[in-house]
Amino acid sequence: MKLFACGSNVQGQLGTGGLDDSAILLPVPVPLLLSDIVSLSCGANHTLGLTRGGQLIGCGRGVTTFGQIQLLTNNDSAGPVEKTSRIEQVVCGFETSLVRFEEGSVWRLKLDTAFNGSEPQYKATVTRLNVPQHSVKVLAACAKRFAAIMSNDNENTSVYIWDDTSIPTFKITDPSSLSSPPNFNLFDRNESIIVAVAIGLFHSLVLTKSGSIFSIGSHKRNKFAQLGFISPPTTVYSNETITTRVLLPTPQTDLVVSIQSGWSHCAAMLKSGTCVMWGRQDLAQIPNTTNLTAASAPASKCILPTVIPLLKNARKLTLGPESAIAILSTGRIVSWGWNEHGNCGVGHIQNVQLDSDNSCRMKISSGIVDDVVPSHVFCGYGHAFVLFDTGEEIEEIGTGTSFLECFGSGNTHESQVLALMRSITASDYRLKINPTNSSFSITVKHLTCNDLTTKIIRSRDANNPSEGPHNFPECLSCNPDAATIAECNYPGGEAVRGPSTGIPPHLRALTAADCALPPVNKYTKTWIDAQSRPIVIVTPCRHVFDMRQLSDCELIALWQAVAQAVSDLGGEMIQIVLNAGVFRNIAHMHVKIYFEKEVFFDSMKRMGMEMVGKELKELRQLMKLPDHRS
């Protein structure tokens, strides 16, 4: 693992081992005592991070290298929760930060600098927020504002928004105590399951399970159209808070899968790989487009929700207060926007436009990380980080004696399964579960730079990982009745792959619904392979890209459904594979279970799926793919 940083380092927030009055204009290596950092969050003059083991680390405010932070409660020197509890998330505001522990508690964190001899180190005084135990699932922060997604019966049904400033938006009575913020129940039942929250200076965004974005804020403070629309400047508005659906210039069937917010600019990534941005634009936060609109002041420009072609299929996107960084599908890192402190890492301090040339490419010295691709990018208030995962290409993460015993429903291993799958923090990987005579092993293959130019053979009809998943007209799992096998499972469809005489109508009519097996639980769906291979596929009901987007309940249910599928077909499989990130050739995350041909096709006959299997085989032969059955 290698970490690079650029931008302001006046308080040591880059962790490079010193203080710098001048900006660091190009990314420099950051020395790491801990080699398993999985996330970072940046405040004004400090940076906090988490290790794979849930330890809190930090630098800044005079602490010049990353080190573990000792947590102290207000009244004693003991840890804030049981020593066995690990931190699952940390978010930095301008000066205040929050940490969320795995058992559900949330704590406000006040950093103090202490000295061990001559070396400055952090100590942190923490104060517990008065929120229901086990209910907080996601935190977000921006400047002096915070948000939390709350869960009820394993479904995220409300969001808390609060601040410790004088701005009258969801303000708590005593900001210093950070007691329970007001509960803001947002939507009717069809829109009430919240999967993500993002927060800006004067607005908030929530993403629902249905793929809709809602903005929360006031007309009066909508100067930069961060709410997704223009407030006419001639109208006098109050500070009354409104909730509005953000209308995107994309098909309604192309659902939003993630949201981001800076201080006044916003972004959404859609399941097709499309990126949409809107909000403040005068500091180059958003590329120039024809939708540029003058707001209340000539120098303050804003933009309505607009597709950004240069970010199509971006592997990572993160927004800083007035800037942004993205990892493109090629592995190239681009950064743009406000650059006063050199935080864009392009060698100067002028604002940077996102364009197709190399002017916005973050410049990291060649030869240092040539063999790997960046895995994460992090934006701060005037500094930024890029993390490269240089670990072993193939890593064994677990073993066991009985797959069904460990992963099946009704067992006592749910916490171990959850911890194992949560330990995978990379974006692009292939997970394999391989059985032996009396045990099984779990391995993870990570992506390297060679994989971006060399085809990885996942199966005989796998695509190039540099391209990521194919863009099919319908999702097989989300819209099974509309997703025809010929057009939504074979790249190019009938026009490219089909015979010149056309596909017979009964084969053209085959849809994903014809491949469905009885569901195991309410969180998953189970299918036979649409290409007539001896494979059973399990998908989450929600359209997600990898396991990190699943709740704990959904993640456990996914692997229990996999185990049930193995059990239903006799208890033995050849291999289980989960492809994530650019290893996918289907966007919707799915787990493939490979079986012996005789076992599989005998089971299909027993389940009444023999005729469907024969038709899928016939279609496969017409679509110019090899026959896996013969």
Side-chain angles (χ1 to χ4, degrees):
M1 179 173 293
K2 292 181 180 178
L3 185 66
F4 288 77
C6 59
S8 174
N9 195 37
V10 293
Q11 292 292 320
Q13 60 264 45
L14 297 185
T16 56
L19 303 176
D20 298 276
D21 292 332
S22 301
I24 306 298
L25 302 182
L26 294 172
V28 296
V30 176
L32 291 176
L33 299 177
L34 300 167
S35 61
D36 60 346
I37 293 177
V38 295
S39 69
L40 293 174
S41 184
C42 306
N45 295 305
H46 70 288
T47 304
L48 299 179
L50 285 181
T51 67
R52 183 167 285 125
Q55 295 177 319
L56 184 66
I57 59 173
C59 63
R61 292 183 180 171
V63 179
T64 60
T65 57
F66 278 104
Q68 188 171 349
I69 297 176
Q70 181 182 359
L71 296 175
L72 305 174
T73 58
N74 286 332
N75 50 14
D76 57 48
S77 60
V81 292
E82 294 181 9
K83 294 180 184 295
T84 56
S85 183
R86 53 180 273 160
I87 298 174
E88 288 197 338
Q89 188 183 9
V90 57
V91 294
C92 292
F94 198 77
E95 294 178 344
T96 304
S97 301
L98 300 180
V99 292
R100 175 175 62 86
F101 284 81
E102 65 179 348
E103 93 294 346
S105 64
V106 178
W107 299 70
R108 185 186 189 188
L109 187 143
K110 182 178 181 296
L111 293 171
D112 297 301
T113 303
F115 286 87
N116 181 9
S118 60
E119 293 296 322
Q121 292 181 337
Y122 271 143
K123 289 188 175 181
T125 302
V126 291
T127 306
R128 185 167 182 164
L129 273 65
N130 182 22
V131 296
Q133 187 81 348
H134 304 294
S135 62
V136 178
K137 297 301 180 185
V138 179
L139 295 173
C142 177
K144 296 183 178 182
R145 301 186 70 226
F146 299 92
I149 294 180
M150 312 300 289
S151 176
N152 180 22
D153 296 329
N154 294 315
E155 289 190 340
N156 304 328
T157 56
S158 61
V159 105
Y160 282 45
I161 302 170
W162 71 98
D163 59 58
D164 55 2
T165 71
S166 59
I167 300 171
T169 56
F170 306 112
K171 183 181 177 183
I172 60 175
T173 305
D174 181 5
S176 62
S177 67
L178 279 182
S179 59
S180 293
N183 188 0
F184 188 54
N185 291 312
L186 292 172
F187 317 110
D188 61 35
R189 186 61 186 165
N190 291 332
E191 293 284 4
S192 64
I193 301 177
I194 302 165
V195 297
V197 60
I199 193 164
L201 277 183
F202 303 120
H203 74 286
S204 305
L205 302 174
V206 295
L207 174 63
T208 69
K209 183 178 179 179
S210 64
S212 299
I213 303 175
F214 289 82
S215 61
I216 307 164
S218 73
H219 271 293
K220 187 172 184 178
R221 295 187 178 275
N222 190 35
K223 180 179 180 181
F224 301 110
Q226 66 269 20
L227 296 180
F229 62 90
I230 301 293
S231 296
T234 57
T235 306
V236 177
Y237 294 106
S238 68
N239 271 329
E240 181 180 356
T241 297
I242 60 172
T243 301
T244 306
R245 186 190 297 268
V246 178
L247 301 178
L248 303 183
T250 52
Q252 291 185 354
T253 54
D254 195 4
L255 301 182
V256 178
V257 295
S258 66
I259 53 175
Q260 295 266 345
S261 181
W263 280 356
S264 303
H265 66 303
C266 311
M269 295 299 294
L270 283 63
K271 73 176 184 179
S272 66
T274 299
C275 177
V276 177
M277 298 187 74
W278 67 95
R280 188 173 182 180
Q281 199 267 351
D282 60 309
L283 300 176
Q285 302 96 318
I286 303 175
N288 286 316
T289 72
T290 56
N291 282 4
L292 195 64
T293 307
S296 56
S300 300
K301 297 178 180 179
C302 56
I303 199 167
L304 295 173
T306 302
V307 173
I308 310 299
L310 289 172
L311 297 178
K312 175 73 173 178
N313 290 323
R315 296 174 51 235
K316 287 286 182 180
L317 171 66
T318 184
L319 304 190
E322 302 290 5
S323 61
I325 306 177
I327 304 174
L328 303 183
S329 60
T330 59
R332 188 174 111 173
I333 310 168
V334 293
S335 55
W336 66 97
W338 175 71
N339 189 39
E340 182 178 341
H341 298 290
N343 44 285
C344 286
V346 295
H348 58 74
I349 58 172
Q350 288 75 43
N351 295 340
V352 180
Q353 287 281 354
L354 176 64
D355 52 39
S356 57
D357 61 24
N358 285 326
S359 63
C360 62
R361 183 172 185 173
M362 188 173 281
K363 299 174 174 62
I364 297 179
S365 300
S366 61
I368 299 178
V369 289
D370 284 349
D371 57 334
V372 290
V373 295
S375 58
H376 294 83
V377 286
F378 309 95
C379 273
Y381 291 78
H383 60 299
F385 294 90
V386 180
L387 185 64
F388 293 81
D389 190 349
T390 58
E392 293 295 326
E393 183 180 356
I394 298 180
E395 169 191 13
E396 183 174 272
I397 65 169
T399 59
T401 55
S402 168
F403 174 77
L404 292 181
E405 180 182 338
C406 291
F407 286 80
S409 60
N411 64 64
T412 59
H413 301 283
E414 289 185 359
S415 60
Q416 292 96 316
V417 171
L418 196 61
L420 185 70
M421 296 306 170
R422 292 294 189 215
S423 70
I424 304 172
T425 58
S427 301
D428 305 294
Y429 61 88
R430 182 208 292 172
L431 180 147
K432 285 185 177 181
I433 300 178
N434 298 291
T436 63
N437 290 334
S438 59
S439 63
F440 68 91
S441 65
I442 306 175
T443 59
V444 176
K445 175 181 171 60
H446 300 286
L447 188 70
T448 68
C449 264
N450 288 335
D451 294 330
L452 290 175
T453 55
T454 304
K455 187 172 183 178
I456 296 178
I457 302 300
R458 295 193 296 271
S459 65
R460 276 181 273 179
D461 42 304
N463 63 314
N464 191 324
S466 66
E467 300 170 0
H470 294 296
N471 185 19
F472 292 112
E474 296 285 352
C475 175
L476 293 162
S477 184
C478 294
N479 305 302
D481 292 319
T484 60
I485 303 302
E487 299 301 325
C488 300
N489 195 258
Y490 293 95
E494 182 178 358
V496 174
R497 309 290 292 270
S500 58
T501 56
I503 297 174
H506 73 287
L507 299 181
R508 186 182 292 120
L510 285 171
T511 68
D514 296 312
C515 303
L517 295 173
V520 174
N521 52 59
K522 67 178 182 178
Y523 297 108
T524 63
K525 299 176 182 179
T526 307
W527 323 78
I528 62 170
D529 180 59
Q531 295 182 12
S532 188
R533 297 170 296 183
I535 297 172
V536 171
I537 296 171
V538 178
T539 62
C541 290
R542 287 201 299 118
H543 189 93
V544 299
F545 293 164
D546 62 42
M547 291 188 291
R548 295 174 302 174
Q549 295 175 279
L550 296 176
S551 69
D552 290 352
C553 188
E554 290 172 316
L555 186 54
I556 290 295
L558 175 74
W559 288 104
Q560 288 179 347
V562 171
Q564 187 62 51
V566 173
S567 178
D568 289 344
L569 270 73
E572 294 184 3
M573 79 290 189
I574 297 176
Q575 190 177 68
I576 296 172
V577 176
L578 187 157
N579 291 315
V582 296
F583 280 87
R584 298 167 297 151
N585 48 18
I586 299 290
H588 196 120
M589 192 193 83
H590 54 289
V591 181
K592 291 184 283 192
I593 312 165
Y594 292 79
F595 294 93
E596 294 288 351
K597 296 174 186 177
E598 293 77 9
V599 172
F600 178 81
F601 293 112
D602 286 346
S603 298
M604 292 303 100
K605 181 185 296 186
R606 174 170 48 84
M607 295 178 182
M609 301 292 286
E610 184 179 20
M611 183 56 67
V612 172
K614 289 180 177 178
E615 291 178 342
L616 292 172
K617 175 189 175 183
E618 187 179 353
L619 177 62
R620 179 184 183 87
Q621 291 170 334
L622 291 174
M623 297 298 279
K624 303 173 185 176
L625 287 179
D627 181 12
H628 283 249
R629 185 169 181 173
S630 58

